[in-house]
Amino acid sequence: MASGADRISGLPEGVLHHILSLLPAQDAVRTCVLAQSWRHHWRSAPALRLAGCAGWAGGAYTFGPFVDALLHVRRGGAPLDSIDFDLDVDLDLGCYDVPKMERHVNGWLRRALRRQVRDLRFRVSVAPRLTCALEDRPLASEHLTRLELVGVKGNAGVLDFSCCPALEELRMEDCDVGSTEMLSPSLKRLRIRYCIFYCNFRSGMSFPSLVSFEFVTNAGRVPMLDSMPCLETATVRFDYLYDDRCRNGRLDDCGDASCYGCYYYHAPDDYDCVFLEGLTEVTDLTLSAYPDLYVFNRDLELCPAFSKLKTLVLSKWFVPDELSALTWFLHNAPLLEKLTLKPSKVRSKLMKRVRRYKPLEQSIAASHLQIVEIICEDVNEILLKILKVLKANGIPQEKIRIQCSACYNFVSTEVEME
């Protein structure tokens, strides 16, 4: 500026606060030296971005006191929309111990809540790979609406969100879950990815207001879901890291006391359905798992109908036992409009060692079903069985679409097979 005028300082305070919110916290604090009028702007910025620890000069020894001081001197009446903690701790450097780190991060979390933050992201990355244990007591805030936890360990207290009545969105990733219960009466959107559910018991989930549910690639025991009457969309994917697998290759109870999967299947109160019953109010559902995950198959024997379901994607797990799971949905999803099937090969041992569902007389899904999409790699025995099941349940040939490299002219021939 040729005139030397300070035009930035003349901007409205809201604009200045927005600019400061885009900076890492340490850079926002440094703006206090720009001019006399900038001395305190950083203390009332509506967002804080706290990143570092391992990358700081002095590491955790300088980063910790900086965060403590920053939260302490912040102007008490200034609204705080969001705080983003992105913390990297390298224990291999030998400069920080786990208990001290956990005391720091738990203090920061509680202090952020006392500052009436509405959007809180709390990521901790510890090398070597460890999770940071949170205090085993409930989080409490009347203002928190969105919470993201990454790389932390939560037990019963901290995963009870009933003291956060405004909380609507929760995201958890790379976390350890060691609780018998997770609950929130207000939560509407939940995403849990790459987390580990520990212990022999199942973690109960109670989210009666949930609208969107994503449960992807988690390990350990499949949690037990309570009813979610407001649920609209759900995506569930179980990969190979789960404990609900029978060592004898069965999808029903093998009766072997030495089988870890079957022995710990039931909870002390002998519940019925574990997982699927909590999803029965959904309208858009994706279910994916390896075929030897027995929970889905056992749940179907006691599960009520999916009375609102309109869009369904079934991947991998539904193929054993002459596709009885597919038949179950055709008979228990009366409003189903679109069905997508992604089959996979199944070990012959598993296919011979399963319980069959009781046959039903007539499909109730055929009247609303508009399209069945089958996505497969090649023409094989499973694809032939799927086509036979669809025909037996009244699905006309013109509603079936097959996507595979070897079967462009295959539908018209095989749908008519007995």
Side-chain angles (χ1 to χ4, degrees):
M1 292 175 288
S3 64
D6 181 3
R7 295 183 181 180
I8 295 180
S9 297
L11 292 173
E13 187 175 46
V15 175
L16 295 178
H17 283 164
H18 178 71
I19 294 172
L20 291 173
S21 297
L22 300 176
L23 299 175
Q26 59 270 34
D27 292 334
V29 172
R30 292 189 182 108
T31 62
C32 68
V33 301
L34 294 178
Q36 181 69 22
S37 61
W38 282 78
R39 289 188 60 189
H40 301 293
H41 279 312
W42 61 273
R43 296 180 59 186
S44 52
L48 294 177
R49 298 178 58 202
L50 295 159
C53 206
W56 271 57
Y61 282 113
T62 57
F63 181 77
F66 168 77
V67 177
D68 289 337
L70 181 67
L71 294 176
H72 178 72
V73 301
R74 181 177 173 81
R75 287 178 174 173
L80 187 55
D81 292 329
S82 65
I83 298 184
D84 189 344
F85 288 93
D86 196 347
L87 313 176
D88 294 294
V89 181
D90 191 346
L91 297 180
D92 286 336
L93 296 178
C95 63
Y96 216 53
D97 60 90
V98 174
K100 185 174 183 180
M101 175 195 69
E102 292 177 342
R103 286 195 299 271
H104 267 295
V105 298
N106 277 285
W108 298 336
L109 179 60
R110 305 291 173 177
R111 193 171 295 174
L113 294 177
R114 289 196 296 270
R115 296 297 183 185
Q116 302 181 1
V117 64
R118 286 181 279 275
D119 185 341
L120 174 58
R121 179 178 181 267
F122 204 81
R123 173 191 169 273
V124 184
S125 177
V126 184
R129 201 281 183 188
L130 294 171
T131 52
C132 177
L134 299 183
E135 292 177 323
D136 194 12
R137 58 190 178 104
L139 303 178
S141 171
E142 296 182 358
H143 305 272
L144 187 67
T145 60
R146 183 183 181 276
L147 175 64
E148 182 173 351
L149 299 174
V150 182
V152 302
K153 180 178 181 180
N155 293 321
V158 75
L159 297 178
D160 177 357
F161 300 102
S162 55
C163 294
C164 297
L167 184 64
E168 294 188 351
E169 182 174 354
L170 171 64
R171 297 187 177 192
M172 296 178 63
E173 187 169 324
D174 288 323
C175 294
D176 294 346
V177 179
S179 171
T180 57
E181 191 173 27
M182 296 177 62
L183 66 147
S184 169
S186 61
L187 199 67
K188 294 183 179 180
R189 296 173 297 278
L190 174 62
R191 185 177 76 176
I192 302 178
R193 304 175 63 194
Y194 309 110
C195 294
I196 301 175
F197 287 73
Y198 283 105
C199 302
N200 295 326
F201 54 78
R202 298 191 186 279
S203 298
M205 290 186 176
S206 179
F207 302 108
S209 300
L210 207 64
V211 174
S212 173
F213 180 47
E214 183 179 343
F215 193 86
V216 175
T217 318
N218 299 294
R221 287 285 175 186
V222 176
M224 182 171 57
L225 299 185
D226 284 353
S227 175
M228 296 184 284
C230 302
L231 192 63
E232 296 178 0
T233 63
T235 299
V236 176
R237 185 174 79 231
F238 290 97
D239 291 335
Y240 61 93
L241 294 174
Y242 50 82
D243 294 334
D244 292 306
R245 178 191 288 113
C246 175
R247 63 180 293 180
N248 297 309
R250 296 180 66 98
L251 296 181
D252 55 355
D253 192 345
C254 69
D256 185 351
S258 64
C259 177
Y260 177 83
C262 291
Y263 183 78
Y264 289 107
Y265 176 69
H266 292 290
D269 56 353
D270 196 25
Y271 49 77
D272 295 326
C273 288
V274 173
F275 195 86
L276 291 185
E277 186 171 4
L279 303 176
T280 52
E281 302 292 334
V282 73
T283 57
D284 187 342
L285 174 63
T286 298
L287 286 177
S288 176
Y290 281 84
D292 60 352
L293 176 74
Y294 58 62
V295 170
F296 289 169
N297 295 276
R298 299 185 190 184
D299 275 1
L300 289 181
E301 297 181 6
L302 299 169
C303 191
F306 282 68
S307 58
K308 301 178 182 179
L309 187 62
K310 293 185 177 181
T311 304
L312 173 64
V313 179
L314 296 179
S315 180
K316 298 181 181 180
W317 72 276
F318 70 95
V319 292
D321 190 25
E322 302 300 326
L323 306 175
S324 55
L326 171 59
T327 301
W328 189 95
F329 276 102
L330 292 174
H331 287 262
N332 291 277
L335 300 182
L336 189 62
E337 296 177 356
K338 182 179 180 181
L339 173 62
T340 302
L341 304 174
K342 300 178 180 180
S344 64
K345 294 181 180 180
V346 182
R347 292 180 290 111
S348 58
K349 176 183 177 182
L350 181 64
M351 295 185 71
K352 294 177 181 178
R353 292 174 175 257
V354 298
R355 183 184 303 173
R356 295 178 182 273
Y357 304 123
K358 296 179 180 179
L360 300 174
E361 296 181 358
Q362 184 178 2
S363 170
I364 60 176
S367 59
H368 286 83
L369 198 58
Q370 298 175 7
I371 183 172
V372 178
E373 185 179 42
I374 306 173
I375 303 174
C376 55
E377 296 180 357
D378 202 350
V379 177
N380 54 33
E381 180 184 359
I382 295 175
L383 178 58
L384 297 179
K385 288 182 178 181
I386 290 175
L387 295 173
K388 288 182 178 180
V389 168
L390 294 176
K391 178 183 177 182
N393 284 275
I395 310 301
Q397 171 181 321
E398 59 268 19
K399 292 185 177 181
I400 301 174
R401 302 287 183 269
I402 300 175
Q403 296 183 23
C404 70
S405 58
C407 55
Y408 294 112
N409 300 316
F410 185 68
V411 176
S412 59
T413 303
E414 297 299 338
V415 163
E416 298 177 357
M417 291 182 59
E418 295 296 335

